[in-house]
Amino acid sequence: MSVEITMTADVVGLTKVAPVSRRGFMSATAAVAAGYTLAAGPVRAEVITTDTADLQAGDARIKVGSEEMPAYFARPAGNTKAPVIIVAMEIFGLHEYIKDVTRRLAKLGAFAVAPDYYFRKGMDLTKITDIKDLLSIVNAKPDAELLSDLDATVAWAGSQGGDTARLGIIGFCRGGRTVWEYAAHSGTLKAGVAFYGPPVDAPNPLWPKSPLQLAPEMKAPVLGLYGGADTGIPVAQVEQFKAALEQNKKTAEFKIYPGAPHGFHADYRSSYRKGAAEDAWKQAQAWFKKYGVLS
């Protein structure tokens, strides 16, 4: 199997979840109309929906080199010095779940920005339904380019009045890996929260070091939130990562939710586990407050 379509740990975890009946799920037509991807399977009818009351929210274009990267942002209306939190998406693109998370963070007082850093391929990832077609795009994203895109996102948020001195990042699945990678890269990041980000990568020359290999280089405190029943990321691997960070005297905490699968926070998917998701969200808020991102 080529590097491009290698089944990475995050993809294994999200595809190997116990099947569910179609009861309680939107039709494919309704799901697409609501802005959700179909690549991860049927979309739950009871998704969390966050409104834009008292928010400024919408699409943006971020300058990256000679190009413009699409993004979605949400911030408290009238707050010109809100802390900046980057939202690192799953492999499915900038669809409604990621946009809703961005609005949830804005309701907490943040200037949240979700950059679409896969834009260079010219494909709308939210419209792709075959996982292998997605992997050929997302696995071809070089880490160096990804990190540069995130730096550009921070610079853009600062140019829009965001307080980049209080910078955070949160990510889910592949975006969870992005959190760990960015925590090793950025000297200005205050804190990160990684939802089930793989500590170990599949072989890929475009990804020089996995989060585990970057343990000695972590520059910001990160909270790792993982599922005890994740079929792609074994608990033993998470414990190995935790030990490596402790050995290198890095600030990190982990919480593993027994019985929770990969994607337990994704309220649009069958992997959603309400109890674990709600607790993890509280933990994320507390982490950002502890390290001065949120007030």
Side-chain angles (χ1 to χ4, degrees):
M1 181 176 285
S2 69
V3 166
E4 288 75 17
I5 59 171
T6 297
M7 293 292 282
T8 50
D10 50 346
V11 176
V12 171
L14 68 88
T15 55
K16 292 188 176 180
V17 175
V20 293
S21 73
R22 289 279 176 168
R23 294 180 62 186
F25 289 81
M26 298 182 192
S27 67
T29 302
V32 170
Y36 290 92
T37 179
L38 297 180
V43 177
R44 296 176 66 247
E46 294 184 359
V47 293
I48 296 174
T49 303
T50 306
D51 61 38
T52 57
D54 300 318
L55 300 181
Q56 178 190 4
D59 299 322
R61 310 288 291 188
I62 296 172
K63 188 78 170 174
V64 285
S66 62
E67 300 175 282
E68 289 188 329
M69 176 171 59
Y72 181 82
F73 76 95
R75 64 193 297 180
N79 187 341
T80 58
K81 290 298 290 182
V84 175
I85 299 181
I86 299 172
V87 182
M89 59 193 177
E90 319 144 302
I91 65 171
F92 305 113
L94 200 47
H95 72 120
E96 184 57 27
Y97 165 65
I98 295 301
K99 291 180 179 180
D100 200 89
V101 168
T102 303
R103 293 192 294 273
R104 293 175 211 177
L105 290 166
K107 292 282 187 178
L108 298 175
F111 182 171
V113 190
D116 184 2
Y117 33 70
Y118 298 117
F119 76 100
R120 291 177 182 84
K121 295 295 184 180
M123 301 285 290
D124 183 349
L125 300 193
T126 69
K127 307 302 184 192
I128 298 175
T129 57
D130 190 311
I131 288 283
K132 289 185 178 179
D133 291 339
L134 279 171
L135 290 178
S136 68
I137 295 173
V138 300
N139 287 356
K141 178 72 173 179
D143 277 346
E145 186 179 77
L146 171 64
L147 297 172
S148 177
D149 288 346
L150 295 176
D151 286 342
T153 301
V154 175
W156 175 83
S159 75
Q160 301 301 306
D163 185 0
T164 57
R166 292 187 291 158
L167 175 64
I169 185 171
I170 189 170
F172 306 86
C173 305
R174 182 66 58 84
R177 175 191 181 272
T178 298
V179 168
W180 290 111
E181 295 284 316
Y182 199 62
H185 164 79
S186 174
T188 59
L189 185 69
K190 292 297 184 186
V193 177
F195 278 79
Y196 27 84
V200 177
D201 296 331
N204 188 334
L206 300 176
W207 303 343
K209 291 185 179 181
S210 69
L212 178 61
Q213 292 170 314
L214 287 169
E217 301 175 38
M218 293 295 165
K219 298 176 179 65
V222 179
L223 172 65
L225 302 164
Y226 290 84
D230 191 323
T231 56
I233 305 173
V235 171
Q237 195 176 86
V238 178
E239 295 292 350
Q240 179 189 15
F241 189 23
K242 179 181 178 182
L245 290 163
E246 289 175 348
Q247 182 179 355
N248 286 280
K249 297 180 171 56
K250 301 301 179 181
T251 303
E253 290 184 13
F254 291 80
K255 184 160 186 179
I256 297 172
Y257 293 89
H262 190 85
F264 64 79
H265 183 270
D267 53 88
Y268 70 100
R269 290 208 303 254
S270 61
S271 59
Y272 178 62
R273 299 294 183 270
K274 186 174 187 290
E278 290 180 350
D279 182 78
W281 191 248
K282 289 178 184 176
Q283 298 287 337
Q285 292 178 57
W287 190 258
F288 282 138
K289 288 179 181 178
K290 180 177 181 179
Y291 291 99
V293 178
L294 293 175
S295 300

